[in-house]
Amino acid sequence: MHDDHETLTLVQLTDVHLGPLPAFLPRHWNVKRLMGYVNFRSKRRDFHEAVLANAVTSDAREQGAGHIVVTGDLVNLGMPAEFQQALRWLETVGTPTDVTVIPGNHDVYTRLSSDPGIERWRAYMSARGEMDHVAGVAGPLATGFPFVRTIGRFALIGLNSAVYMPPGVAAGRLGSAQIDRFAEIATGLGAAGFTRIVLIHHPPLPGHGWRRGLRDAAAFEAALKGAGAEVVLHGHNHRQMMSWQETRTGPVAIIGAPSAGEGYYNLYRLRHAPGALPRIERLTRGVAGPGEPVRELERVEVRPGN
């Protein structure tokens, strides 16, 4: 995967919900997983062997993806075998150098006693050593969240909004430590002249409800306004979404993508513009119906007001 110093072709896959579900062992059953299983059988039973997710991933490569980001919900019920299955799938998508992952609420679905869970994907969810070192951004970037990955003049900031919630609740939370660290990192990257691309699973602004929204969205919004960024990419709602947030460094495009598990993805062609909003073209590609090939469904220039 390759782009030049000033441009980036970025693919966003989100809400993959890889199937099929592995066999249940008795120790895996709890109320939340039972509710999730019923939901899977009613809404996602055709997510078999990741057929649609694999189709859009293959198409993304053909479109010249420079880097792929997966913005959460790789699994369904948080069973140990699902994390292993997801890691095998990620290895077919690309190497940890070329693919970046953040978790979603289904990836932190229930409490795990001994299984490492999302830690199986840590190579995809961390800075890549010296290649991601940024002068002027203090502190370690390689452990925990947020983490930073740089691609030319672009910087990916990976956040984790996935925390355990009770049955029937799909909300998220960042926590004050992560929000404060985000503000520090985003400010430093902006001062260093990077185009900042923030990755988060839940829609990051207030107004998405107690049950499914980001619980500390107001605090994150304040940090985003103060630090600035150029693009925020999220998933969670399985549909195309678009809004803008004014910040200290200018307007930020906040974009949500439809579900890769349902056969869709967004491709962004970004051009770095020092001190200004980057030029962004968004292409949505996917399947128009059962058995149909992946094709372009929409193409827009992302600019304030649209």
Side-chain angles (χ1 to χ4, degrees):
M1 300 183 182
H2 175 72
D3 281 281
D4 67 31
H5 193 66
E6 302 291 339
T7 65
L8 176 64
T9 302
L10 186 69
V11 163
Q12 180 189 10
L13 307 175
T14 195
D15 299 275
V16 188
H17 294 291
L18 291 165
L21 288 179
F24 268 96
L25 297 177
R27 67 177 183 272
H28 293 154
W29 285 103
N30 58 34
V31 172
K32 187 169 185 179
R33 281 192 176 133
L34 178 60
M35 292 174 63
Y37 178 77
V38 171
N39 183 64
F40 182 90
R41 295 296 298 173
S42 63
K43 294 182 179 179
R44 302 190 185 111
R45 62 187 304 167
D46 294 328
F47 285 31
H48 182 67
E49 298 292 351
V51 170
L52 293 176
N54 289 338
V56 296
T57 301
S58 176
D59 184 78
R61 293 193 197 95
E62 294 174 4
Q63 299 303 311
H67 196 85
I68 295 174
V69 299
V70 185
T71 51
D73 278 4
L74 282 74
V75 307
N76 296 283
L77 305 182
M79 292 185 291
E82 288 187 279
F83 297 111
Q84 299 168 17
Q85 176 176 271
L87 178 59
R88 292 193 295 269
W89 179 79
L90 282 172
E91 290 168 344
T92 71
V93 176
T95 70
T97 297
D98 295 326
V99 179
T100 298
V101 175
I102 60 166
N105 56 291
H106 279 264
D107 305 321
V108 187
Y109 197 69
T110 189
R111 293 188 175 96
L112 300 172
S113 56
S114 58
D115 190 84
I118 64 172
E119 287 300 313
R120 296 180 187 274
W121 314 332
R122 176 54 63 186
Y124 293 88
M125 300 192 304
S126 58
R128 301 158 300 179
E130 285 301 312
M131 69 185 300
D132 294 322
H133 174 74
V134 178
V137 178
L141 304 181
T143 57
F145 296 92
F147 64 88
V148 173
R149 291 182 156 194
T150 61
I151 307 165
R153 299 307 301 162
F154 300 87
L156 304 176
I157 306 174
L159 298 174
N160 179 15
S161 61
V163 294
Y164 171 75
M165 288 285 172
V169 180
R173 181 183 296 112
L174 290 168
S176 59
Q178 191 176 181
I179 291 173
D180 291 346
R181 181 71 175 128
F182 161 77
E184 179 186 5
I185 287 173
T187 299
L189 291 169
F194 283 89
T195 291
R196 299 156 293 178
I197 303 168
V198 182
L199 310 176
I200 184 172
H201 180 68
H202 290 80
L205 299 180
H208 292 274
W210 178 88
R211 182 175 167 272
R212 288 185 53 82
L214 184 68
R215 292 283 175 87
D216 46 7
F220 179 72
E221 180 183 35
L224 182 63
K225 286 180 177 180
E230 281 64 54
V231 185
V232 178
L233 302 180
H234 70 85
H236 193 51
N237 285 349
H238 292 214
R239 61 186 174 89
Q240 196 73 255
M241 299 177 66
M242 181 75 198
S243 63
W244 290 88
Q245 177 65 62
E246 287 294 333
T247 77
R248 181 181 62 83
T249 61
V252 177
I254 299 175
I255 306 172
S259 166
E262 296 170 15
Y264 304 94
Y265 74 96
N266 279 354
L267 181 148
Y268 310 95
R269 295 194 174 108
L270 302 100
R271 180 173 294 278
H272 175 69
L277 184 71
R279 180 179 176 182
I280 308 169
E281 182 182 51
R282 175 181 59 77
L283 284 71
T284 300
R285 297 182 61 84
V287 294
E292 293 291 321
V294 179
R295 62 181 179 85
E296 184 177 313
L297 303 175
E298 185 180 36
R299 181 186 297 237
V300 298
E301 288 286 338
V302 177
R303 54 171 61 94
N306 69 357

